Amino acid sequence: MNSTDTADSTGSADSTDFPRQFARSRRFSLGVPRHFTLSPDGSRVLFVRTVSGTDPVGRLWQYEGGTERLLADPALLVGSGSGAVPEEERLRRERARERSVGVVSYATDSATRLVAFALSGALWAVRTDGGAPFSVPAAGPVVDPRPSPDGRHIAYVSRRSFHVVDLTGADRRLAAAEGPDISYGLAEYVAAESMHRMRGYWWAPDSRHVLVARVDTGPVERRYISDPADPTKPPRAIPYPAAGTPNAEVTLQILSLEGERVDVEWDRTAYEYLVDAGWDAHGPYLVVQSRDQRVVRTLSADPATGVTTVLHERTDPAWVELIGGTPARTASGALVLPEDDGDTRYLTVGGHRVTPEGLQLCAVLGVEGERVLFSASEDPLETHVWSHDPGHGCRRLSRGPGRYTGVGRGGTVVLTGVTPRGDEVGVLRGTGAGPEPGSGPGPEPDKGAGAGTRAETRTGARTGTGAATGTGAETGTTHGDAPHEVIASFAEEPSVTPRPRHLLLGERQLRGALFLPSWHEEGAGKLPVLLDPYGGPGGQQVGRGREWPSCVSQWFAEQGFAVLVVDGRGTPNRGPAWEKAIFGDQLTPALEDQVDALRAAGARFDDLDLTRVAIRGWSFGGFLAAAAVLHHPEVFHAAVAGAPPTDQRLYDTHWKERFLGHPEAHPENYVRSSLSGHGHLLRRPLLLIHGLADDNVAAAHTLRFSAELLAAGKPHSVLPLPGATHLPADDTVNAQLLHFQRDFLLDALAARRVDEG
């Protein structure tokens, strides 16, 4: 081991119970505080948390003066946190990879005095200064309720129509859905799945107007998802814009509480994607993007006429990367934006770079006055929270290894971090770094999600990596004199302790982590190797934090594998050039990096048996796993591919055309980046796993590829999961999946040893 290697030598407990624990804790996400909102003076913190590491029911809490107070308990209000929810809400939760029930989101007025949330389709509210939660009469099943800034009204969506109700139940339908393909106030599929935009309406600061998205899915192709395990159940139709096909038509309207309507105008032919929108002290704004994703414009809108003006334009020859929380505006109106130059993604304020070369901007977390709170990465293994102030430059607020995000207001910052000890939440007072909601188009006071882990990585956006584990230990800060408090996490402590050795591998200095069994003594014998990657855009697996994937990797190590995890080209936080090395080819660079890292690790560690190498993964990781045994059977000897996108043409427009272009213009990119058409190459054992209700990576990916393999006479195994979506929700299924994969891989590698013997 050379000087670049680091290791955690902590011992590992008995791993027998781990699969059941992993499943019942929903990947150790239950019991973790999340979705933080701060009061204007920074004294009160609202958040959602379940009461234990196995309880799935989210409850609303308030933290003030060092004391927690329960604001809303679904079990007391509706008797159960798992009641039926409207279809639109179910889809929102699927896009957000939400794994709990009960209070899963909420929104507040600007003073953080009134909180609104939905339970089983009913509208509820509670005042933070005292009193019990109370129901608010609504016109129908409620989706995404949000109070007006002054707290006098609550807007919501019901049956795809947009409503506003006051606290007495006086309801007004401001926009009625004109047909089954029309909705007001909801995000369309690609916005929620690929653009980080989960919402479809935004209050004006005057509480008299609302900016509302109208979505027409009429032009979009339909997919039909059935339940083969229940042939009496009719199929469910969903609008899904596959690569190269029409998108939903999205427009914006400004609605007044008096019923007036103004259409917002922009060139929707040239810029068909609505990336984001909002309304701050400087007026309404929107962010639009061209179909080829090479141009992004920030526009201001005249609320009286709907006429728009270009404030800023970003261009890129590959694609313009969308950065969470941008654009934003300071109190003086200075635009807060990212800027890619060379191999650095800078933060700019008012057109000036304020971060140094090599510090990679991850997200803007908020703005207060002229201060900007943001997350950035100096080291691909870590992400930290920073503050920029014109008078003081940039200051790092988090310290110690890990991945941090945060939310701030009124001089208080809530830091949430995934550290080597697990998930940690700290309340930092007196930094002067908190953003004031409403001062810019960044995170807003009623968003109620300022510090959730979904905002942290694209893996969570697409593969649902969720929260990590933790016990609520303290989070450090560079401001040692500032008062610091802790909000406890009730997450379960994993029964395995990750013991990663962090490595730099090969010519490209690939970041990797090697997990060896806790019982293994180096030099005592060879271990079969298991690669356990994600390896795709927006997701990192290797870091100095105890996230759930590292616990799973260690569990596989305890089963007798040397487990290697590698972040290759296309993964974030190593600069724009690294991310965009996969432009036009999502397969070759990603797979080359896995092969190169394996060989480099094998040359360094004699205990790795490169004659017995397996690979497993889910979603993009599943795609990589299947590709590995197809294209490199001399290196990889068995694979498990979960929910693999085998035919890139079947994936959605915004995500797939970003990397491969339009399939009519660049069909060769789709051919080289797909597994379809290459099934005849299979020579190794391959297990395909897929949820039959997956509306992200459709089961057709696996079923069609399996048919191709069968036609080519290539033996393989398929495990269908009836009723499962992209992330199976059944705890028993999730526990057994780990055992099933382990047994398949051990049997395949054992058979190889017998054959070679």
Side-chain angles (χ1 to χ4, degrees):
M1 191 163 67
N2 65 26
S3 61
T4 63
D5 300 334
T6 60
D8 181 348
S9 60
T10 306
S12 184
D14 181 9
S15 63
T16 304
D17 186 55
F18 179 81
R20 290 189 296 272
Q21 183 193 40
F22 176 71
R24 68 175 178 256
S25 66
R26 311 285 167 87
R27 302 184 178 190
F28 302 101
S29 64
L30 302 180
V32 178
R34 59 200 181 104
H35 298 336
F36 297 95
T37 301
L38 281 159
S39 61
D41 62 0
S43 65
R44 293 176 287 116
V45 183
L46 303 184
F47 62 97
V48 171
R49 187 185 58 202
T50 69
V51 296
S52 76
T54 58
D55 174 41
V57 181
R59 294 163 173 83
L60 180 65
W61 304 81
Q62 179 170 275
Y63 177 87
E64 183 176 15
T67 302
E68 292 182 5
R69 179 165 67 92
L70 180 62
L71 293 181
D73 184 346
L76 300 177
L77 301 179
V78 297
S80 171
S82 57
V85 298
E87 175 66 6
E88 294 84 1
E89 175 63 19
R90 187 194 67 78
L91 292 173
R92 277 170 49 85
R93 295 184 185 187
E94 179 66 22
R95 300 283 72 78
R97 310 296 191 259
E98 179 58 60
R99 304 184 66 85
S100 64
V101 295
V103 179
V104 300
S105 63
Y106 66 92
T108 78
D109 60 2
S110 61
T112 322
R113 292 295 181 187
L114 180 72
V115 187
F117 55 95
L119 289 175
S120 304
L123 177 58
W124 288 84
V126 64
R127 297 192 182 279
T128 59
D129 54 2
F134 56 95
S135 63
V136 179
V142 170
V143 177
D144 195 23
R146 297 178 181 274
S148 58
D150 63 8
R152 295 172 179 264
H153 300 87
I154 301 174
Y156 66 94
V157 179
S158 181
R159 299 186 178 94
R160 294 171 288 101
S161 296
F162 185 74
H163 293 253
V164 171
V165 63
D166 66 23
L167 300 186
T168 69
D171 193 281
R172 281 171 280 183
R173 188 173 64 178
L174 298 187
E178 297 91 344
D181 299 333
I182 309 298
S183 67
Y184 286 90
L186 297 174
E188 73 278 17
Y189 177 89
V190 295
E193 185 68 39
S194 301
M195 300 183 203
H196 320 298
R197 176 168 67 82
M198 296 297 297
R199 60 187 302 187
Y201 71 91
W202 302 264
W203 277 102
D206 68 2
S207 297
R208 303 302 300 173
H209 297 83
V210 193
L211 185 63
V212 181
R214 179 184 186 271
V215 175
D216 181 357
T217 62
V220 181
E221 290 183 353
R222 261 47 179 181
R223 288 185 173 178
Y224 299 88
I225 298 179
S226 62
D227 184 359
D230 185 358
T232 66
K233 186 181 297 184
R236 177 168 53 91
I238 62 168
Y240 186 98
T245 67
N247 282 303
E249 295 178 356
V250 183
T251 56
L252 279 173
Q253 298 177 344
I254 297 173
L255 307 179
S256 75
L257 298 191
E258 290 73 31
E260 299 170 340
R261 180 177 302 197
V262 175
D263 293 326
V264 178
E265 301 174 3
W266 78 91
D267 186 351
R268 293 194 299 274
T269 301
Y271 303 95
E272 64 181 79
Y273 289 124
L274 176 67
V275 173
D276 204 355
W279 202 322
D280 64 9
H282 305 284
Y285 73 94
L286 56 152
V287 183
V288 296
Q289 185 180 45
S290 59
R291 175 73 182 247
D292 64 12
Q293 302 188 49
R294 294 177 179 175
V295 184
V296 170
R297 283 185 167 181
T298 301
L299 310 175
S300 64
D302 185 329
T305 65
V307 173
T308 56
T309 303
V310 178
L311 297 177
H312 189 271
E313 180 177 282
R314 296 175 61 206
T315 63
D316 191 279
W319 72 83
V320 176
E321 185 71 16
L322 304 179
I323 303 301
T326 65
R329 285 187 283 205
T330 68
S332 66
L335 275 173
V336 179
L337 290 162
E339 180 182 327
D340 291 358
D341 186 18
D343 206 20
T344 298
R345 177 162 295 134
Y346 296 91
L347 172 68
T348 68
V349 179
H352 301 286
R353 296 175 183 172
V354 299
T355 50
E357 182 179 0
L359 180 63
Q360 308 295 345
L361 174 68
C362 299
V364 170
L365 305 174
V367 176
E368 180 172 50
E370 300 303 314
R371 299 187 183 99
V372 180
L373 192 70
F374 64 99
S375 59
S377 178
E378 302 171 275
D379 176 345
L381 302 186
E382 298 187 15
T383 304
H384 287 276
V385 174
W386 297 70
S387 172
H388 173 264
D389 186 297
H392 299 89
C394 292
R395 296 176 292 162
R396 203 178 93 175
L397 304 183
S398 54
R399 73 179 184 192
R403 297 200 186 279
Y404 296 85
T405 184
V407 61
R409 200 178 184 190
T412 296
V413 175
V414 177
L415 294 176
T416 65
V418 182
T419 76
R421 294 175 293 183
D423 188 274
E424 304 179 359
V425 180
V427 181
L428 183 64
R429 308 281 189 186
T431 67
E436 180 179 357
S439 64
E444 301 178 34
D446 61 351
K447 191 163 186 176
T453 53
R454 173 164 165 76
E456 183 67 20
T457 72
R458 191 64 192 122
T459 308
R462 301 194 68 84
T463 64
T465 52
T469 65
T471 58
E474 293 196 1
T475 301
T477 170
T478 54
H479 302 274
D481 295 333
H484 178 231
E485 304 153 30
V486 174
I487 296 177
S489 171
F490 300 149
E492 286 205 344
E493 187 70 15
S495 60
V496 298
T497 301
R499 306 169 68 249
R501 297 187 178 194
H502 292 293
L503 310 171
L504 295 176
L505 298 167
E507 294 181 356
R508 286 183 289 278
Q509 296 288 278
L510 298 162
R511 268 57 174 185
L514 180 64
F515 298 82
L516 298 176
S518 59
W519 43 262
H520 177 72
E521 295 183 6
E522 292 191 39
K526 295 275 192 178
L527 294 170
V529 182
L530 174 62
L531 271 69
D532 195 10
Y534 177 72
Q540 290 179 282
Q541 297 286 86
V542 182
R544 296 190 183 96
R546 193 182 68 190
E547 299 183 86
W548 70 260
S550 65
C551 296
V552 172
S553 294
Q554 186 66 49
W555 180 80
F556 274 100
E558 300 302 327
Q559 311 311 301
F561 293 98
V563 180
L564 181 64
V565 182
V566 176
D567 288 339
R569 283 169 288 177
T571 57
N573 294 349
R574 281 195 66 174
W578 183 265
E579 291 178 358
K580 295 176 182 179
I582 61 170
F583 182 59
D585 186 351
Q586 279 198 278
L587 176 57
T588 306
L591 189 52
E592 283 179 352
D593 287 346
Q594 297 298 317
V595 173
D596 290 352
L598 172 65
R599 288 172 172 163
R604 186 178 302 175
F605 298 96
D606 292 336
D607 287 2
L608 273 58
D609 185 355
L610 299 194
T611 69
R612 292 182 294 153
V613 178
I615 182 170
R616 67 176 289 272
W618 198 270
S619 197
F620 191 92
F623 162 72
L624 266 188
V629 290
L630 287 180
H631 294 289
H632 288 286
E634 78 285 2
V635 176
F636 299 96
H637 309 112
V640 172
T646 61
D647 184 348
Q648 306 298 356
R649 285 179 176 267
L650 293 178
Y651 217 83
D652 77 66
T653 51
H654 194 270
W655 188 254
K656 198 50 57 179
E657 292 175 16
R658 179 185 310 177
F659 312 112
L660 301 180
H662 196 288
E664 292 182 3
H666 302 283
E668 71 284 358
N669 293 348
Y670 287 79
V671 171
R672 79 164 61 94
S673 299
S674 293
L675 306 181
S676 301
H678 302 286
H680 62 282
L681 299 175
L682 184 64
R683 293 165 45 194
R684 301 300 189 192
L686 171 63
L687 170 62
L688 300 168
I689 306 173
H690 218 118
L692 298 183
D694 193 335
D695 64 357
N696 178 15
V697 182
H701 284 271
T702 283
L703 297 177
R704 292 183 184 182
F705 188 58
S706 175
E708 179 185 330
L709 294 172
L710 181 62
K714 301 298 182 180
H716 62 287
S717 301
V718 178
L719 178 61
L721 304 176
T725 60
H726 196 57
L727 285 183
D730 186 277
D731 291 349
T732 301
V733 168
N734 284 324
Q736 293 303 321
L737 272 177
L738 290 179
H739 290 294
F740 198 90
Q741 294 176 69
R742 176 201 62 189
D743 294 345
F744 176 86
L745 294 173
L746 287 174
D747 289 347
L749 295 182
R752 170 176 172 78
R753 168 173 277 185
V754 170
D755 291 343
E756 291 187 343

